Amino acid sequence: MFNYQDTLHKLNDLLPLSEKLNFVHGVLRDRFDYIDRIAVTLYDEKTDTLKTFIQSSDGENPMQQYEAKLSEVPLLQEIINQGRPRVVNNLLSIGGTGKLHTQRLVEKGYASSYTMPMSINGSFFGFIFFNSFMEEVLDEEVLHYLDLIGHLISLTVINDLTNIRTLLAAVKTARDMTHQRDLETGTHLDRMAHYSRLIATEIAKERGLSDEFIENVYLFSPLHDIGKIGIPDKILLKPGKLDEEEFEVMKSHAVKGREIIDTMLQEFGLDGLDHIDILRNIAAYHHEAVNGSGYPEGLKDQEIPLESKIIAVADIFDALTSSRPYKEAWDNEVAFNTLRELAGKQLDASCVEALLSNHEKISEIQDKFGEDRFG
């Protein structure tokens, strides 16, 4: 009676999305062994950016840490406009119209491609790509199965991202109710998230970071100061410098942040979220310093999680270059010099260098997410 095993049983397990994708790919290849790659990209509507997320293949990933403006990729735009997937049984046939991402696939030997758009509540949020090293293999039978697998992958991704967005929305509501918005505007959190992604992408090759890790750092970075919800307004909103006793209370926000996140995860039933320790580490350790002078635990260098080091650089840079009731915004060059002085002492040197080597992208982020008088 119980001799049969559900083919897709592992999707019920608490596994990272990348492992679930690898599992689904294995099931698909049992029937169509020439489907050599599955990849998922996500779309950021605020910046019109497509970015690589997770992929499964036997060989090297041709598109790691890749992003592009959707408006600059007409073939992918057309998929959205048509509301239908795209079948290409010979990638060479579309020549240079696919731009860099198609060129990379062809260079790695991929010959055919099936591209499905993903939507949630009618809104586009990314693509799924199925690729093969063989030409002319995407017939009606294969496409029927790819449709089923594609929608299964889409629902799995939606489920995970929806959980994260639920948590983010709950935190934003709590922050607004406790006046945290007065110190950290929405644009500050947008800039921080994009600075964090920029740093993580820049050091990805050196540190062996996956696109999934980078995306989670980007998504979780706005939660870094959630612990300030538990700080009294007379300290949190004080316009001048805190005295020693007040600063000790302020420092407790790092521990409070970890506690709040653990409570929220439990209350929302989200304990099994992928890479949840990234979120915990961001909240708890973003004020640690590589020389051991930080808080709450006085961790040193390698003891500090990488995601916390990334957030620290992004947070300090945006704090320096933003206006506050008690200070004017610093010029970028002045802030850059300050970061250089802090590198290797308070901040991770490679994370600082990663940010400083991207002046043009920093300016783009600041232009896109600048503050007005309403924050």
Side-chain angles (χ1 to χ4, degrees):
M1 182 179 294
F2 296 102
N3 293 331
Y4 178 74
Q5 176 61 275
D6 170 15
T7 306
L8 297 171
H9 65 281
K10 282 195 174 181
L11 294 183
N12 295 322
D13 296 343
L14 291 176
L15 298 173
L17 273 174
S18 56
E19 291 186 29
K20 290 181 179 179
L21 184 66
N22 288 336
F23 173 69
V24 171
H25 190 189
V27 172
L28 180 62
R29 293 198 70 176
D30 285 342
R31 187 176 184 94
F32 305 107
D33 61 2
Y34 45 81
I35 301 299
D36 299 295
R37 176 177 179 265
I38 304 176
V40 176
T41 63
L42 299 180
Y43 179 63
D44 183 347
E45 187 177 11
K46 287 184 177 180
T47 58
D48 185 43
T49 303
L50 276 173
K51 46 195 177 182
T52 50
F53 182 40
I54 52 176
Q55 74 102 41
S56 172
S57 69
D58 290 337
E60 180 184 348
N61 181 0
M63 306 300 294
Q64 200 160 9
Q65 285 91 55
Y66 175 77
E67 61 181 51
K69 299 290 186 183
L70 180 59
S71 57
E72 297 175 359
V73 190
L75 285 179
L76 294 181
Q77 274 189 300
E78 188 63 19
I79 293 173
I80 300 170
N81 295 338
Q82 294 288 337
R84 295 187 176 188
R86 183 191 68 183
V87 182
V88 180
N89 263 308
N90 183 349
L91 282 171
L92 289 175
S93 67
I94 62 176
T97 57
K99 289 204 168 183
L100 183 58
H101 68 284
T102 302
Q103 296 172 23
R104 288 189 182 182
L105 290 173
V106 171
E107 288 172 2
K108 295 299 180 183
Y110 291 103
S112 55
S113 176
Y114 183 51
T115 307
M116 289 182 64
M118 298 188 295
S119 297
I120 179 170
N121 297 326
S123 298
F124 167 73
F125 77 95
F127 290 107
I128 302 174
F129 299 90
F130 297 91
N131 300 116
S132 175
F133 291 124
M134 299 174 63
E135 297 179 12
E136 306 299 333
V137 293
L138 301 176
D139 57 27
E140 287 194 16
E141 180 189 8
V142 176
L143 293 175
H144 171 74
Y145 278 93
L146 295 187
D147 286 340
L148 295 175
I149 292 295
H151 283 288
L152 176 64
I153 293 170
S154 178
L155 290 172
T156 303
V157 173
I158 286 172
N159 180 65
D160 279 58
L161 294 182
T162 298
N163 286 338
I164 292 173
R165 286 169 182 169
T166 297
L167 186 62
L168 291 172
V171 171
K172 182 181 184 300
T173 300
R175 181 188 297 116
D176 290 351
M177 291 174 64
T178 57
H179 310 295
Q180 177 62 11
R181 202 169 93 184
D182 292 341
L183 285 185
E184 293 195 342
T185 63
T187 50
H188 162 69
L189 299 178
D190 282 327
R191 289 192 301 271
M192 250 208 66
H194 283 85
Y195 293 149
S196 298
R197 180 177 175 80
L198 183 60
I199 294 167
T201 302
E202 187 71 21
I203 64 174
K205 187 173 182 180
E206 172 193 347
R207 300 292 185 98
L209 307 182
S210 68
D211 289 317
E212 193 175 11
F213 174 88
I214 294 171
E215 186 66 16
N216 277 282
V217 169
Y218 168 75
L219 289 172
F220 292 145
S221 60
L223 304 186
H224 68 293
D225 269 343
I226 180 60
K228 286 183 178 178
I229 287 175
I231 302 300
D233 279 358
K234 66 178 182 179
I235 294 176
L236 182 65
L237 305 180
K238 184 176 179 178
K241 185 177 180 180
L242 301 179
D243 62 31
E244 186 174 342
E245 184 178 345
E246 290 170 333
F247 185 56
E248 286 302 313
V249 175
M250 179 65 85
K251 285 165 60 175
S252 70
H253 81 272
V255 173
K256 290 179 185 292
R258 173 68 178 260
E259 293 171 350
I260 289 170
I261 284 171
D262 283 341
T263 299
M264 295 181 74
L265 290 171
Q266 186 174 4
E267 292 294 329
F268 280 88
L270 300 178
D271 308 65
L273 273 177
D274 286 352
H275 304 291
I276 201 60
D277 282 341
I278 293 176
L279 172 56
R280 293 188 174 104
N281 291 339
I282 284 173
Y285 304 126
H286 65 283
H287 284 293
E288 296 288 359
V290 294
N291 63 5
S293 65
Y295 62 88
E297 296 182 18
L299 302 180
K300 292 184 179 180
D301 201 9
Q302 298 303 316
E303 297 173 336
I304 306 171
L306 179 58
E307 53 267 29
S308 307
K309 294 177 178 179
I310 292 170
I311 299 302
V313 174
D315 190 29
I316 289 177
F317 177 71
D318 195 66
L320 294 175
T321 54
S322 299
S323 60
R324 293 289 185 269
Y326 50 86
K327 65 174 280 293
E328 295 294 325
W330 291 17
D331 178 79
N332 278 355
E333 288 302 324
V334 177
F336 292 155
N337 288 334
T338 299
L339 291 185
R340 291 188 184 99
E341 292 173 5
L342 295 175
K345 301 172 185 175
Q346 181 175 339
L347 301 175
D348 180 86
S350 63
C351 291
V352 169
E353 181 56 36
L355 185 67
L356 299 189
S357 62
N358 283 280
H359 289 201
E360 184 175 341
K361 290 182 179 179
I362 288 171
S363 295
E364 289 175 3
I365 292 169
Q366 291 172 330
D367 290 342
K368 180 70 177 178
F369 301 105
E371 292 183 6
D372 56 27
R373 63 192 181 92
F374 300 108

